Amino acid sequence: MQAVILSAGASSRFWPVNGRHKSLLKIMGKPLIWWTIHGLKKQGISEIIIVQGPKKDIEKELGHYKTDLPIKYVVQPSPLGTGDAILRAEKLLKDYFFVLNAERIDADEHIKPILKKFKKEKSKLILVAGKTDTPWLYGILKTKEDKITGLIEKPKPGKEPSNLKIVGTYFFPKEFIGYLKKVKTHMYSLEDALLLYALKRDARIVKINYDAFALKYPWHLFDVRRYIFDKFLKRKISSSVKIAKNVIIEGKVYIGRNTKILEGAIIKGPCWIGDNCVIGNNALVREYTNLEENCLIGGLAEVTRCVFQRNCHTHSGYFGDSIFGENLRVGAGTITANIRLDKGKICSVVKEKKINTGLTKFGVVVGKNTKIGINVSLMPGVMIGSNCNIGPHSIVLENIPDATTFYTKAVNVFQKE
């Protein structure tokens, strides 16, 4: 059985942590696409075909990890949508094959019911559908029982035919390639071909009972992190870890090799701390925090529900519900505000559009190689680009583009007589 993994998109909605494909962001020491492959292997998939972009960053990164499955790579030169991506893999496809997004880390929970329906009902085309409260963000299905009778991509609020979204796991017969070739190539040609097939042949759905996460925007990484932690995290402290006096470690906590936990630090799981990290004196690290290798959390800092990529260093401060790209440096006293004063839902601006995240707790997202000075205040939902310099005592209220030097001018409150 084959699976085609789609990872050639530009990940433009994932700015500012989109220097590479979003599926290469790491949780628990592995890129997200690795977790997807891991789930497919558990369900008996024997061959993987990965459609990647011209940079071939997926192939380069996965070369550092053991996957135990044969992987073939094809390139999609331009991000022309999932339909075009599948066509790029045509010569490698056999009778039946799965198609899924690279970050579909829960795919192992989809494969089994799909195959059960296929064997029982002999339906040739099957896809996974799940309920959503935000149908305007997804492809929405019209169904009669489990049979697909219609499909609308991103319907306007109030115009959706149902609350069933396409989750991103598909089971296709080889003959579906012919339908892809019949429709015009564009970003949603897969959906056009799906509808054409459903109206002429037989296309079915498998419903899932949980709210399947999507990885459209950076804050969706929190759901993915929680899923991986809940399913795979186990308590383990490597033998080379150095733990000072008066340290408290509670719950499911993983601590990697050569990490140092200094005096008075508290770690409350679930947490994952990678190799060669340092947790400073009297620091508090808690609740679904992910620290990749070579991270340093300074003395007296508090970190909760954050995702740090590798080589991030902070001094004292508060960091909540935030995502930080590689090689971040943060000065002492910096605070991420992660709750609005009115406790309302937090909005972020993505590609110049204001998006309601649906979250009441959300700090910031910061790109790679950015430096933040002392005593900086970062407001909820703000995005800061890569290679930025944020001056001391600044208040960041809006998004800051890549490669920007930003500071808030000090106001002289003293007046001469």
PDB file of all heavy atoms in Angstrom, residues 78 243 340:
ATOM      1  N   SER A  78       6.353  24.457  -8.978  1.00  0.00           N
ATOM      2  CA  SER A  78       5.603  25.625  -8.505  1.00  0.00           C
ATOM      3  C   SER A  78       4.432  25.155  -7.650  1.00  0.00           C
ATOM      4  O   SER A  78       3.837  24.107  -7.940  1.00  0.00           O
ATOM      5  CB  SER A  78       5.079  26.450  -9.682  1.00  0.00           C
ATOM      6  OG  SER A  78       6.147  26.900 -10.503  1.00  0.00           O
ATOM      7  N   ILE A 243      21.396  17.619  37.596  1.00  0.00           N
ATOM      8  CA  ILE A 243      20.291  18.231  38.345  1.00  0.00           C
ATOM      9  C   ILE A 243      20.843  18.745  39.671  1.00  0.00           C
ATOM     10  O   ILE A 243      21.375  17.976  40.480  1.00  0.00           O
ATOM     11  CB  ILE A 243      19.165  17.218  38.594  1.00  0.00           C
ATOM     12  CG1 ILE A 243      18.645  16.682  37.242  1.00  0.00           C
ATOM     13  CG2 ILE A 243      18.023  17.859  39.373  1.00  0.00           C
ATOM     14  CD1 ILE A 243      17.595  15.596  37.377  1.00  0.00           C
ATOM     15  N   ARG A 340      -6.014  38.806  26.642  1.00  0.00           N
ATOM     16  CA  ARG A 340      -6.546  40.169  26.510  1.00  0.00           C
ATOM     17  C   ARG A 340      -7.121  40.641  27.837  1.00  0.00           C
ATOM     18  O   ARG A 340      -7.563  39.840  28.664  1.00  0.00           O
ATOM     19  CB  ARG A 340      -7.655  40.197  25.450  1.00  0.00           C
ATOM     20  CG  ARG A 340      -7.141  40.122  24.041  1.00  0.00           C
ATOM     21  CD  ARG A 340      -8.237  39.975  23.011  1.00  0.00           C
ATOM     22  NE  ARG A 340      -9.425  40.776  23.276  1.00  0.00           N
ATOM     23  CZ  ARG A 340     -10.280  41.203  22.351  1.00  0.00           C
ATOM     24  NH1 ARG A 340     -10.047  40.917  21.078  1.00  0.00           N
ATOM     25  NH2 ARG A 340     -11.341  41.883  22.659  1.00  0.00           N
TER      26      ARG A 340
END
